[in-house]
Amino acid sequence: MSSKKTVAQIIVDILAEAGVKHCYGIVGDTLNHITSAIRKSDIEWVHVRHEEVGAFAAGAEAYLTNQITACAGSCGPGSLHFINGIYEAQRNKVPVILLASQLVTSQQGTDFPQEVDFESLYKNCSVFCRQINDPTQVREITTAAIQAAINQRGVAVLVIPYNISKEHVEDKSSHKIYHPNPVIRPSDTELTEIANILNQHKKVTIFAGQGVFDAHAELIDLAEKLKSPIVHTSRAKDFVEYDNPYNVGMTGMFGMESGLTAIKDCEVLLMLGADFAWSQFYPDKAIIIQVDIDATHLGRRHPVDIGVVGSSKPTLSALLPLVNEKHETKFLEGCCQLYTKSMNKLNKKALPSHSTIHPQYLTELIDKYAADDAILCADVGSAMVWACRHFNTNGKRRTLISLKHGTMANAMPQALGAQKAFPNRQVITLSGDGGISMLLGDLLTTIQEKLPIKIIVLNNGSLNFVELEQKVEGLIDHYTDLQNPDFAKVADSIGLFSIRVNDSDLLEAAMQSFLSHPGPALLDVKTSPNELVMPPEIQTSQVMGMALYGVKASLNGKMGDVVNLLVDNFVKK
């Protein structure tokens, strides 16, 4: 009896060996042998309606589980559609493998219908991208692809011509998948230098990024010793915010005055796993120490005085014994008091209103009634700001937002992947009306795949964040209006439980009913179209831009819009 297998079967065997549990995609002719092999395996095929959704979902699963996840598509437009979601996964540094099936080798390079050069296309958004041209190399190349995705933290793209996928070959190779977990920290000399600086200065601020994901206890211990406020990036929210008396919030455009002040007024800024891109929010005169697992990140956003390579947990464990206990708390107490003041200011609109529904109030209700281990996926735009500011984490909850790639329409597709990975957890989206519209067809996936995600639509009738950007530039908002359907009726026609709310007084009861529904559900909320996202520090240029917008809008017959903007943001409490 022959021991030969098809190339497709060997690829699927290796994926299973690597721990892949789900493969997201849409079937097609050049993919048929691969999907046939998946059907006979323990890997579950997840049938989405658009390949971009499949890539988003796979990336979300990999992000939340730290396990490699797969997506697969047919030749030409099929595998081409994945690209935006693949960019998202690559920028999130999560292990995803894309199986991009391809035309037969004899048709390649002939401008054959549906021909796309996937290697050229995907090489800029992957850590590995290679076509299998020799069927006898299938285990070697597939193993290398998975090894790169896991250990270089990114996307691997495997291009598989149809004729190669159905070839029968011996699977005798001994190539294996390795999951190393090295302990990486700075040298003793570097740690001593860092400790000396921390010990010599009174006003030390810790700036924590996503790199502290497994170092919560060590982070708190260091802040206690240094009497340091802790500022965090938006991507570090899940790992820093909870059980943390030293937390003073975020800085940057999503941040608050306390986070901004703690960084601007410190003598030493200790950055831990934070590759924060906006240089205008760094301190002007402080000594900056940066610890990062990736040496290429050191000093790339802003000049630093000391840059060392290390993971946060072992670095802090080694640093803590070298740091002296401080007793002066004036700087810390001032930052914490400002944090309380900043939060009170943000929460002024997190209350019901007789005339409109503020998105802050909506998000506070999500926070109030969501499960203790809920996962919240938020769309890019104003939704991401409300999620970062008003959804509290507790060490068990997670948030997922497209904060590095910054794409629209991410929330609902990522929720599909999150729910598939964690079928027993509550998964909620805070979706913009513009974002949900872009990939609306995959509401069908919630029914077909029986995924009970809870979709909340911020229905303000506009591309709200873009509109704000235009106004700050002193421009009359243009092309941002959205003529939306009744999203609740759309969802109901597909089979989702749905509620539409226009009245602030009815929202709390609707939220409870919506979140308690056992299946997929959609809550369509008519929110204020005039809400401004206030940065922690308002620049003169922003004030001038808004004033210029007011003049132009008034001259163009939009005086009512100007009045509503002023009343909703500066008059009403």
Side-chain angles (χ1 to χ4, degrees):
M1 181 181 292
S2 173
S3 61
K4 290 184 176 182
K5 297 180 180 179
T6 65
V7 166
Q9 183 62 63
I10 295 170
I11 290 171
V12 172
D13 287 349
I14 299 168
L15 293 180
E17 291 167 14
V20 172
K21 292 182 171 57
H22 303 113
C23 184
Y24 300 81
I26 299 176
V27 297
D29 51 0
T30 55
L31 192 64
N32 284 341
H33 286 277
I34 292 171
T35 51
S36 178
I38 289 174
R39 186 176 61 86
K40 300 170 187 175
S41 75
D42 291 332
I43 296 172
E44 185 179 353
W45 179 263
V46 185
H47 185 180
V48 296
R49 298 303 177 101
H50 193 295
E51 289 90 351
E52 182 180 351
V53 170
F56 276 134
E61 179 174 336
Y63 183 89
L64 294 167
T65 64
N66 201 32
Q67 298 293 319
I68 188 165
T69 309
C71 48
S74 58
C75 67
S79 289
L80 180 63
H81 277 157
F82 285 105
I83 191 163
N84 192 43
I86 290 298
Y87 261 101
E88 169 76 5
Q90 176 70 6
R91 287 188 164 137
N92 280 336
K93 294 184 177 295
V94 295
V96 168
I97 184 165
L98 167 61
L99 307 180
S101 67
Q102 182 60 289
L103 298 171
V104 299
T105 50
S106 63
Q107 293 171 342
Q108 293 177 33
T110 66
D111 196 26
F112 199 83
Q114 292 196 314
E115 182 179 4
V116 174
D117 184 352
F118 290 129
E119 286 186 274
S120 296
L121 182 75
Y122 280 110
K123 67 180 181 181
N124 291 323
C125 55
S126 63
V127 295
F128 182 100
C129 186
R130 186 172 171 186
Q131 178 168 301
I132 300 175
N133 293 312
D134 182 346
T136 64
Q137 289 187 304
V138 55
R139 180 164 284 273
E140 177 184 347
I141 294 174
T142 306
T143 300
I146 295 172
Q147 196 78 13
I150 292 172
N151 296 301
Q152 293 183 44
R153 309 296 303 169
V155 176
V157 179
L158 203 58
V159 184
I160 311 155
Y162 175 69
N163 58 312
I164 298 292
S165 72
K166 62 181 183 178
E167 286 281 344
H168 286 76
V169 294
E170 298 279 354
D171 185 19
K172 295 180 178 180
S173 172
S174 58
H175 288 87
K176 296 180 180 179
I177 309 294
Y178 296 95
H179 300 260
N181 188 27
V183 175
I184 302 173
R185 69 165 180 84
S187 68
D188 291 345
T189 301
E190 290 171 322
L191 288 170
T192 299
E193 183 183 10
I194 292 170
N196 288 338
I197 292 173
L198 297 176
N199 291 334
Q200 290 167 11
H201 294 83
K202 293 182 180 180
K203 296 161 64 174
V204 177
T205 293
I206 298 171
F207 190 19
Q210 194 179 26
V212 302
F213 69 94
D214 62 346
H216 186 268
E218 293 82 0
L219 181 68
I220 301 302
D221 288 346
L222 182 63
E224 166 61 27
K225 267 195 156 185
L226 294 173
K227 303 300 183 287
S228 293
I230 301 175
V231 182
H232 64 85
T233 65
S234 50
R235 284 164 58 82
K237 175 183 174 70
D238 298 1
F239 316 114
V240 175
E241 194 175 69
Y242 69 97
D243 296 339
N244 183 356
Y246 307 98
N247 175 43
V248 295
M250 299 177 292
T251 186
M253 285 300 295
F254 302 172
M256 55 197 67
E257 187 181 359
S258 52
L260 179 76
T261 300
I263 287 181
K264 289 291 187 181
D265 291 353
C266 70
E267 296 171 338
V268 179
L269 182 67
L270 175 61
M271 299 176 61
L272 299 172
D275 184 33
F276 187 70
W278 288 270
S279 60
Q280 68 268 35
F281 292 101
Y282 283 78
D284 297 323
K285 298 178 181 179
I287 297 169
I288 301 179
I289 302 168
Q290 184 176 6
V291 181
D292 202 286
I293 192 62
D294 187 339
T296 66
H297 290 179
L298 300 177
R300 76 168 177 170
R301 305 300 188 186
H302 189 280
V304 300
D305 297 279
I306 298 176
V308 295
V309 173
S311 298
S312 294
K313 189 177 181 70
T315 298
L316 294 181
S317 296
L319 179 63
L320 275 163
L322 306 177
V323 173
N324 298 332
E325 179 96 28
K326 295 184 187 296
H327 301 287
E328 173 60 59
T329 61
K330 184 178 179 181
F331 180 59
L332 172 62
E333 288 174 357
C335 291
C336 289
Q337 289 169 5
L338 189 56
Y339 176 62
T340 301
K341 180 182 175 183
S342 299
M343 288 304 300
N344 289 338
K345 188 175 180 180
L346 288 178
N347 288 333
K348 280 184 178 180
K349 289 193 175 179
L351 297 168
S353 167
H354 294 300
S355 57
T356 189
I357 299 177
H358 293 298
Q360 299 95 320
Y361 174 55
L362 169 62
T363 314
E364 286 284 343
L365 289 178
I366 299 171
D367 178 62
K368 182 177 180 179
Y369 291 109
D372 281 347
D373 63 347
I375 299 168
L376 177 67
C377 303
D379 265 339
V380 163
S382 56
M384 66 186 173
V385 181
W386 312 133
C388 286
R389 288 180 175 178
H390 296 278
F391 184 76
N392 294 304
T393 56
N394 57 8
K396 293 181 287 185
R397 286 178 171 179
R398 293 298 306 272
T399 57
L400 180 52
I401 307 168
S402 180
L403 290 164
K404 295 196 77 174
H405 187 42
T407 178
M408 289 180 65
N410 59 289
M412 184 267 288
Q414 288 176 330
L416 298 174
Q419 191 73 83
K420 203 69 184 177
F422 298 101
N424 297 319
R425 288 175 69 173
Q426 186 182 64
V427 180
I428 306 166
T429 85
L430 189 58
S431 300
D433 46 3
I436 194 73
S437 300
M438 291 180 78
L439 293 169
L440 193 62
D442 267 272
L443 289 180
L444 294 161
T445 302
T446 67
I447 302 299
Q448 180 158 336
E449 293 292 331
K450 298 178 175 60
L451 297 173
I453 65 172
K454 305 296 183 284
I455 302 161
I456 300 170
V457 181
L458 281 168
N459 191 344
N460 52 34
S462 72
L463 299 173
N464 188 248
F465 204 73
V466 179
E467 188 173 302
L468 172 62
E469 290 169 334
Q470 291 176 353
K471 290 173 180 176
V472 169
E473 290 284 335
L475 303 172
I476 298 175
D477 49 296
H478 51 274
Y479 310 136
T480 58
D481 59 306
L482 299 173
Q483 294 189 18
N484 291 324
D486 183 327
F487 288 109
K489 288 184 178 179
V490 172
D492 181 69
S493 71
I494 291 171
L496 286 80
F497 172 75
S498 61
I499 306 174
R500 181 177 173 89
V501 180
N502 298 308
D503 187 333
S504 181
D505 292 335
L506 302 177
L507 184 58
E508 186 164 9
M511 180 68 71
Q512 292 174 272
S513 176
F514 161 75
L515 289 178
S516 64
H517 182 74
L522 184 143
L523 179 64
D524 183 6
V525 184
K526 190 72 173 177
T527 56
S528 169
N530 302 308
E531 209 68 49
L532 291 179
V533 175
M534 294 294 190
E537 183 178 56
I538 299 175
Q539 304 291 329
T540 302
S541 61
Q542 294 170 326
V543 175
M544 295 298 292
M546 289 299 289
L548 183 58
Y549 155 74
V551 172
K552 289 181 178 179
S554 299
L555 293 174
N556 283 268
K558 290 190 171 186
M559 189 61 193
D561 292 351
V562 177
V563 171
N564 290 336
L565 186 72
L566 293 172
V567 169
D568 280 3
N569 291 280
F570 301 105
V571 177
K572 291 179 181 176
K573 300 297 184 185

